[in-house]
C-alpha cells in the first residue's frame, strides 16, 4: 500500500513538472520581431537558369568608409577594405525584385522589422571570398542582372573630452577640467550593389560599398 501511495505521489510530481515546463512566456512587445516575406512564389527554374555557367567574369573590390556614430559618413576618411569576407551573389528575378521593394518599404532594424527571402530563394546564390585587399571574383557568369551583398565588420575609433572635475578660485570662479580619452565601437556595415552582365566573354568591374 505504501509503495502504491509513493508511486502515485511521484506520478503527480512528474505531472506537475511537465506542466511547468510546458508554460509559454509571452515576450514583451519591444522584444517581438516582425518578419516579412514576398508573397510572390519563387521560380527556382528561372533562378537556376540565371546561375548556369557562362563565360563572363565579375571582378570587384569590397570596402566601406568610416561612419560617425550618428550614421553619416566621415569626410575624407580612408577606405576600410573588406578583408576575407563572404560576398553573396543573387540573381535578380521577379521574386527578388518584390523582396527588394518590400525591404525598402518595411525594414526597420531598430524596431525589429525584418524582410527575409524564403529559404528556397536563398539557396540559389553564389559566394566569393575577398582577399586582404577586398578583391573578389565571380567567374563563369551568364548575361543577366545580379545583386551583390556583404557584411563588413570594423571598429570605429575616436576621442572625446571626459569631465574629470572642477576647481574654484578665491573669487568664486569655477574652472572645469577635461581629459581627452579614446573610445572604440564595433560596427557592421551591410554593403550592397547591383551589377549587370550584358554579354558573354566580358569582364565587369564593380565596387561593392
Amino acid at each position: 500500500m505504501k509503495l502504491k501511495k509513493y508511486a502515485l505521489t511521484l506520478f503527480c510530481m512528474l505531472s506537475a513538472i511537465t506542466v511547468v515546463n510546458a508554460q509559454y512566456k509571452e515576450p514583451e512587445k519591444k522584444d517581438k520581431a516582425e518578419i516579412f516575406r514576398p508573397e510572390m512564389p519563387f521560380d527556382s527554374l528561372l533562378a537556376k537558369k540565371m546561375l548556369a555557367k557562362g563565360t563572363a567574369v565579375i571582378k570587384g573590390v569590397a570596402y566601406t568608409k568610416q561612419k560617425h556614430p550618428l550614421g553619416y559618413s566621415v569626410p575624407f576618411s580612408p577606405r576600410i577594405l573588406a578583408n576575407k569576407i563572404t560576398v553573396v551573389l543573387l540573381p535578380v528575378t521577379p521574386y527578388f525584385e518584390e523582396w527588394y521593394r518590400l525591404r525598402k518599404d518595411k525594414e526597420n532594424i531598430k524596431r525589429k522589422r525584418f524582410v527575409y527571402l524564403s529559404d528556397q530563394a536563398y539557396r540559389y546564390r553564389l559566394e566569393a571570398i575577398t582577399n586582404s585587399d577586398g578583391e573578389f571574383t565571380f567567374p563563369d557568369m551568364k548575361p543577366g542582372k545580379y545583386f551583390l551583398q556583404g557584411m563588413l565588420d570594423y571598429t570605429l575609433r575616436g576621442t572625446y573630452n571626459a569631465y574629470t572635475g572642477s576647481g574654484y578660485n578665491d573669487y568664486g570662479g569655477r574652472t572645469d577640467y577635461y581629459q581627452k580619452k579614446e573610445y572604440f565601437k564595433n560596427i557592421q556595415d551591410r554593403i550592397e550593389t547591383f551589377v549587370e552582365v550584358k554579354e558573354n566573354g566580358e569582364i565587369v568591374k564593380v565596387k561593392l560599398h
Side-chain angles (χ1 to χ4, degrees):
M1 183 67 180
K2 288 184 178 180
L3 182 61
K4 185 176 180 181
K5 185 176 180 181
Y6 175 79
L8 182 61
T9 303
L10 181 61
F11 174 78
C12 292
M13 290 174 63
L14 291 174
S15 299
I17 292 172
T18 302
V19 171
V20 171
N21 288 341
Q23 287 180 341
Y24 174 74
K25 182 180 179 181
E26 183 69 21
E28 297 294 333
K29 288 183 178 180
K30 64 181 179 64
D31 297 326
K32 286 185 177 180
E34 289 186 88
I35 307 298
F36 300 90
R37 288 186 173 87
E39 295 182 358
M40 175 185 294
F42 174 68
D43 188 343
S44 60
L45 294 178
L46 175 60
K48 184 177 181 180
K49 182 179 179 181
M50 292 180 69
L51 293 179
K53 284 192 174 184
T55 59
V57 178
I58 297 173
K59 297 183 72 69
V61 58
Y63 64 91
T64 190
K65 290 193 174 184
Q66 182 173 305
K67 291 182 175 59
H68 188 273
L70 295 178
Y72 56 84
S73 297
V74 177
F76 309 111
S77 61
R79 288 182 177 183
I80 300 171
L81 298 173
N83 180 15
K84 303 293 192 301
I85 74 164
T86 299
V87 178
V88 173
L89 179 148
L90 294 162
V92 179
T93 63
Y95 176 89
F96 176 89
E97 290 174 333
E98 182 178 333
W99 169 81
Y100 193 75
R101 287 193 297 268
L102 187 64
R103 194 184 72 167
K104 289 177 68 175
D105 183 50
K106 297 291 187 182
E107 183 182 67
N108 189 318
I109 295 174
K110 290 184 178 180
R111 295 184 178 181
K112 298 183 182 296
R113 298 176 67 184
F114 305 100
V115 181
Y116 292 155
L117 293 166
S118 69
D119 293 340
Q120 184 187 23
Y122 191 65
R123 281 198 292 268
Y124 286 85
R125 70 186 190 276
L126 300 176
E127 294 183 352
I129 306 296
T130 64
N131 63 15
S132 58
D133 293 321
E135 298 169 336
F136 62 90
T137 301
F138 286 99
D140 305 322
M141 300 302 302
K142 289 183 63 176
K145 190 174 182 181
Y146 305 97
F147 176 76
L148 305 180
Q149 184 188 79
M151 305 302 290
L152 200 167
D153 297 312
Y154 69 96
T155 300
L156 177 65
R157 178 181 178 182
T159 60
Y160 69 100
N161 292 321
Y163 173 73
T164 58
S166 300
Y168 299 87
N169 59 30
D170 295 338
Y171 301 97
R174 169 178 161 172
T175 302
D176 293 331
Y177 297 99
Y178 296 87
Q179 182 180 2
K180 185 168 287 188
K181 291 188 176 181
E182 285 190 320
Y183 68 86
F184 300 90
K185 183 179 180 181
N186 294 326
I187 304 291
Q188 184 179 69
D189 272 359
R190 184 172 68 188
I191 52 178
E192 301 173 333
T193 193
F194 287 92
V195 59
E196 185 173 6
V197 176
K198 294 182 179 179
E199 59 184 14
N200 266 314
E202 73 171 325
I203 298 176
V204 182
K205 295 186 177 181
V206 62
K207 294 179 181 179
L208 177 60
H209 61 92

